Amino acid sequence: SEVMNRILVKPEGTPDAPENKDVYFGDYIKYCFDNAPLGDMLQAFGYELNDIIKTICYGVEGVDYVIDENGEMQMLHGATKLTVAEFLSEDLDEKVQILPIDSFVPISFPTDAVMCMLAYGAEYRYEKELDENGNIVMKQVFYEASATPFTLKDDEGNDVTENIVSGAEDAQNGIVLTHKYTKNDTEITETRYLQYNTEDGKYYAFEDAEYTLPIRFKKNTIGMLNDGTDALINKMYLKDLLKPTPSTHRAMLAICYGTEGEDWEYDTEGNIQMKGEAKPRTVKDLKEGNLFNTLTLKDLLGEDVNENAILSNLASYSLDELPQEMEKLTFDDVFAEKIYEEDGVTVKPMWRYLFDDPTTNEMETPDQYCLLGETMGVDQMIANMQENMQTATLEKLITDDLVVFEDDPTTPNDESVDEKNAFLASTATIDGTPDGKLVKQMTIIEMINWVMDASGA
């Protein structure tokens, strides 16, 4: 009867019912049904929840809820269980969009680096070991700052300085920041409290000003895949796709990790370790810039580059920069050890013949001559040598050891030194020499002409 379908006491919390008025029994039952957690109801009916349904009903374990020591589910950070009404009223597709990728796709953690990158993001965003319940542990969100002027950037290098609410003047005592993100096509703004860490110099994000509720990186969702995989793939490390080993060709290592010694190094066990704040190269790096042309000679040749006098001076330049830098390369850069005396300043005699331009009033220096340059290069040096040799006296040529005497290897004495000293001390003249010069004062050209005239040639 109609009386049996009514109750006389308004159930507390029943919506749309005036105070102290009768409520239809059917409405009350519907209210209870609508507000019942879907997952709890399914389990009460004996249905075992699989990972996907469990995630839809409760969210992500460790992020939205935890299982306490009594086996009870405890919701975290204001997260709520999905009710029957919410399930029926929401577009299921929208609910699926926010589910983590690993709730749908099995991940071989941590061996499958590519799938881990798709599901969890960059390596620094998650722990390499599962927790005691076998769950992925996402790390705490962090920011990095630089001074003069103060600039704050997120983990991907995006400048978020303009989002600072307070604390920029005394950042190490904490920063308050607004963070905007989109969820179900709705833009959400949350406040983050950043605490400075003296050990690594980073600022770690919390939900509260007391720094008790850390904000962790979120797993990538199905919706991110639907929006297009480019954004996720662009963040993938090339090393995870190409899987180089320490014995892989140096060019491939450079493409994946950067320059050895600057960006990475080998540890004591021969494994590659990134240095400082350097990070492995991503797909985005490869797409936005020609990584091949950014390789340096050292990347390609390793320490062997230092064994060549020319290449060692170009070791740090990229393939893009090489043509221009090679033209700038001077004899001083390459041959300094051979050019200078022990004092490192005085140019050795033989080299002076190459560098001294007889058409000028000054002695040119080795750093003025380019090894491959079109001006002041090798051609000019050859011309200098030819002119200087022709105009130099025999005395100068012998003093500078450009003309040497031979030593008799069958005797204990060094006849070459004796003959050199005797020639330089000689005051001998020869009839018919130009202007009555001493023999040692004649140039090579004069000597040749004199010999040819004397022989009647």
Side-chain angles (χ1 to χ4, degrees), residues 22 33 63 97 112 142 157 172 190 239 331 333 358 360 369 383:
D22 291 345
F33 180 80
V63 176
Q97 296 297 308
D112 192 339
F142 65 85
Q172 293 190 10
E190 68 179 18
K239 70 179 183 66
F331 275 80
D333 295 328
T360 66
Y369 289 90

Side-chain angles (χ1 to χ4, degrees), residues 3 8 10 76 100 128 150 190 200 216 277 336 346 348 435:
V3 175
L8 298 178
K10 173 190 172 184
L76 300 174
K128 300 302 182 293
F150 182 83
E190 68 179 18
D200 59 15
R216 300 189 178 278
E277 299 300 318
T346 306
K348 292 179 180 179
D435 303 323

Side-chain angles (χ1 to χ4, degrees), residues 31-71:
Y31 167 78
C32 294
F33 180 80
D34 285 348
N35 288 277
L38 177 62
D40 293 358
M41 180 178 292
L42 292 174
Q43 292 183 87
F45 290 153
Y47 182 82
E48 184 176 349
L49 305 184
N50 60 34
D51 290 340
I52 295 176
I53 299 300
K54 190 174 184 180
T55 305
I56 290 175
C57 293
Y58 302 117
V60 179
E61 184 173 359
V63 176
D64 300 304
Y65 71 90
V66 293
I67 305 299
D68 63 20
E69 61 275 9
N70 298 318

Side-chain angles (χ1 to χ4, degrees), residues 180-355:
K180 297 181 180 180
Y181 64 97
T182 301
K183 183 176 181 181
N184 292 341
D185 296 326
T186 302
E187 186 175 86
I188 299 174
T189 300
E190 68 179 18
T191 300
R192 292 182 170 183
Y193 299 87
L194 310 186
Q195 183 183 40
Y196 180 72
N197 186 299
T198 56
E199 293 184 3
D200 59 15
K202 296 177 180 178
Y203 294 81
Y204 288 88
F206 292 84
E207 294 182 25
D208 60 320
E210 291 73 31
Y211 307 128
T212 61
L213 301 173
I215 298 174
R216 300 189 178 278
F217 288 110
K218 291 180 171 57
K219 296 179 179 181
N220 294 331
T221 65
I222 298 298
M224 293 180 179
L225 291 179
N226 289 343
D227 291 339
T229 57
D230 280 357
L232 296 179
I233 292 177
N234 282 343
K235 297 177 183 179
M236 286 187 175
Y237 292 132
L238 293 173
K239 70 179 183 66
D240 295 332
L241 297 174
L242 302 177
K243 299 188 181 302
T245 66
S247 61
T248 298
H249 191 279
R250 298 195 57 83
M252 187 62 69
L253 294 180
I255 289 173
C256 292
Y257 299 104
T259 300
E260 182 183 1
E262 296 179 16
D263 302 311
W264 62 275
E265 62 187 0
Y266 291 106
D267 63 18
T268 55
E269 297 180 355
N271 299 313
I272 292 175
Q273 297 293 333
M274 303 306 295
K275 296 185 65 177
E277 299 300 318
K279 296 178 181 178
R281 305 284 181 82
T282 64
V283 173
K284 181 180 180 181
D285 294 330
L286 181 64
K287 292 167 70 174
E288 292 186 348
N290 192 336
L291 291 185
F292 294 97
N293 284 346
T294 63
L295 299 180
T296 66
L297 283 182
K298 185 175 182 181
D299 293 334
L300 297 173
L301 304 176
E303 295 303 325
D304 293 344
V305 74
N306 295 319
E307 297 179 6
N308 184 284
I310 295 177
L311 297 183
S312 62
N313 285 277
L314 300 169
S316 62
Y317 294 110
S318 68
L319 299 183
D320 265 343
E321 298 168 328
L322 273 182
Q324 182 178 358
E325 295 303 325
M326 288 176 70
E327 289 190 0
K328 297 179 183 178
L329 204 60
T330 68
F331 275 80
D332 189 64
D333 295 328
V334 178
F335 300 111
E337 292 184 1
K338 300 180 181 296
I339 291 173
Y340 296 103
E341 301 284 4
E342 292 183 0
D343 61 9
V345 176
T346 306
V347 177
K348 292 179 180 179
M350 184 191 76
W351 289 93
R352 288 201 294 268
Y353 286 84
L354 289 166
F355 298 134

Side-chain angles (χ1 to χ4, degrees), residues 371-385:
L371 202 63
L372 301 172
E374 294 182 2
T375 59
M376 289 290 282
V378 175
D379 290 344
Q380 180 63 50
M381 292 172 62
I382 293 174
N384 293 346
M385 172 67 87

